[in-house]
Amino acid sequence: MKNFPILAISLMFVVNTYSQSDCQDAFSAANYSVAHTNNAYEANNTDHVQEWTEKAIETLNEVEQTTANCGCSDASNYAYEGIVAAEKSLEEATWERSRFYAKRAREKAKLMINALSDCTSTDVSKYRNRNNNTNYEYAVADNSYDNDDYDNISAERDELLAEQEELMKRQKELKLKLEKKKQEELAIKQKKHLELQKQLSVKSNAEAALAQIEAAYTKLAKTLGCKNAYLAAKQNYTIMQQQLKTEKLNDTKFRYTEKLSELSEKAMLHFSNCAEGF
């Protein structure tokens, strides 16, 4: 039992050494991730930015999985954040926006490899310019941050300008829609005004004609001594102008046609009754 503490410590040392060995296996992919994201950031067109970004996603995924298994959570988290930024870079259509997210992915990759170095107590520089007989060419990680502040401001400015341009575009579209709506409203008002003028003409002519018919029926009723026909001829056939504003031209014409039918039918009925009494 006295040897138990020594055995436990030995086991912990073995597990820790094994874990560090697993984490060290992620260095080559991590070094590639830094190099690929750096190449993406330095590319001068959208296609090349996204071509290098796709390569970076592959190696970042490898680092994320390996470091998660070996217990280096900081490196795994930075790898994941780098993947998210790289995927956003692939979604952008312009060089400026795609490069903006490629730069974020590069920053996460650099933090990732530093975290990996801390996990394994390994000097990152030993993995630079390293060559062996495998199918990998180990790229040199670029740790320079020259002009980063300027690039950040430039990218943010481009983003704001894009938002401003989109806002101006939407304002222009809204202005055109408002102008179109005003033109439509004006056209409706003009159409209604012209229709009202026609309705007033119908009103004037129809009521004048009905007045003549009424006068003729009244004169005939007096001549024949037909009092009921005389009273029937006295119908209210006028329409208020306000009513015309709530109806269409054809409705107005129909209204006067109905007035004529009502006047004629009642007068003819009483004339007929009056004739039977002669």
Side-chain angles (χ1 to χ4, degrees):
M1 295 296 293
K2 292 181 179 180
N3 294 329
F4 178 75
I6 299 174
L7 178 61
I9 293 172
S10 300
L11 287 173
M12 290 175 63
F13 176 78
V14 171
V15 170
N16 185 55
T17 302
Y18 179 75
S19 176
Q20 287 187 352
S21 176
D22 281 354
C23 285
Q24 286 177 342
D25 291 341
F27 266 109
S28 60
N31 198 46
Y32 261 120
S33 297
V34 174
H36 290 334
T37 54
N38 187 63
N39 289 336
Y41 175 68
E42 293 181 349
N44 57 12
N45 62 71
T46 307
D47 289 340
H48 287 168
V49 171
Q50 295 182 351
E51 180 182 345
W52 284 109
T53 300
E54 286 180 349
K55 294 180 179 180
I57 290 175
E58 294 179 5
T59 54
L60 286 168
N61 271 313
E62 183 179 344
V63 175
E64 182 196 11
Q65 293 173 7
T66 303
T67 52
N69 292 334
C70 72
C72 189
S73 58
D74 286 344
S76 181
N77 291 337
Y78 285 131
Y80 174 76
E81 292 173 2
I83 293 168
V84 172
E87 288 177 344
K88 287 183 178 179
S89 176
L90 296 179
E91 295 172 359
E92 297 296 335
T94 64
W95 173 74
E96 293 86 357
R97 297 290 298 157
S98 186
R99 183 172 178 264
F100 175 78
Y101 286 109
K103 181 176 181 293
R104 284 189 183 179
R106 183 182 72 162
E107 291 170 354
K108 298 300 180 182
K110 290 175 180 178
L111 292 171
M112 173 194 70
I113 200 168
N114 288 334
L116 184 59
S117 176
D118 292 338
C119 282
T120 58
S121 301
T122 303
D123 184 3
V124 180
S125 62
K126 67 181 284 188
Y127 282 87
R128 300 180 183 174
N129 296 323
R130 174 176 145 191
N131 294 300
N132 57 19
N133 295 325
T134 64
N135 293 326
Y136 292 96
E137 280 186 9
Y138 291 93
V140 178
D142 176 19
N143 291 315
S144 66
Y145 282 85
D146 295 340
N147 298 321
D148 276 2
D149 291 338
Y150 173 80
D151 291 334
N152 276 330
I153 294 173
S154 178
E156 290 173 1
R157 180 204 61 195
D158 292 340
E159 186 173 1
L160 290 173
L161 287 174
E163 291 178 0
Q164 183 183 43
E165 184 178 352
E166 180 65 22
L167 179 60
M168 291 176 64
K169 180 181 178 181
R170 291 178 60 186
Q171 287 178 333
K172 184 177 180 180
E173 291 175 351
L174 180 59
K175 184 178 179 180
L176 290 174
K177 288 181 179 179
L178 288 174
E179 288 295 331
K180 183 179 179 181
K181 185 62 65 177
K182 288 180 180 179
Q183 292 296 328
E184 290 175 352
E185 291 176 353
L186 180 61
I188 291 173
K189 287 181 179 179
Q190 290 177 340
K191 181 179 179 181
K192 183 59 182 176
H193 177 72
L194 292 174
E195 188 171 40
L196 180 59
Q197 296 307 308
K198 293 179 181 179
Q199 287 174 289
L200 291 173
S201 177
V202 169
K203 170 180 167 63
S204 177
N205 294 330
E207 290 180 1
L210 288 171
Q212 291 177 358
I213 294 173
E214 179 190 30
Y217 282 155
T218 300
K219 183 177 180 180
L220 181 59
K222 287 181 179 180
T223 301
L224 297 177
C226 192
K227 183 179 179 180
N228 289 337
Y230 172 78
L231 294 175
K234 293 294 184 177
Q235 297 290 325
N236 181 19
Y237 47 80
T238 59
I239 298 175
M240 300 298 294
Q241 182 173 333
Q242 190 64 28
Q243 290 180 271
L244 302 179
K245 295 180 179 180
T246 62
E247 63 185 24
K248 296 182 179 180
L249 178 60
N250 288 337
D251 296 330
T252 303
K253 292 178 178 180
F254 180 77
R255 185 188 293 272
Y256 281 110
T257 302
E258 289 291 298
K259 290 286 186 181
L260 174 61
S261 297
E262 182 182 354
L263 175 63
S264 299
E265 287 176 2
K266 287 185 177 181
M268 290 301 101
L269 176 62
H270 288 291
F271 274 124
S272 177
N273 291 337
C274 187
E276 290 176 0
F278 291 157

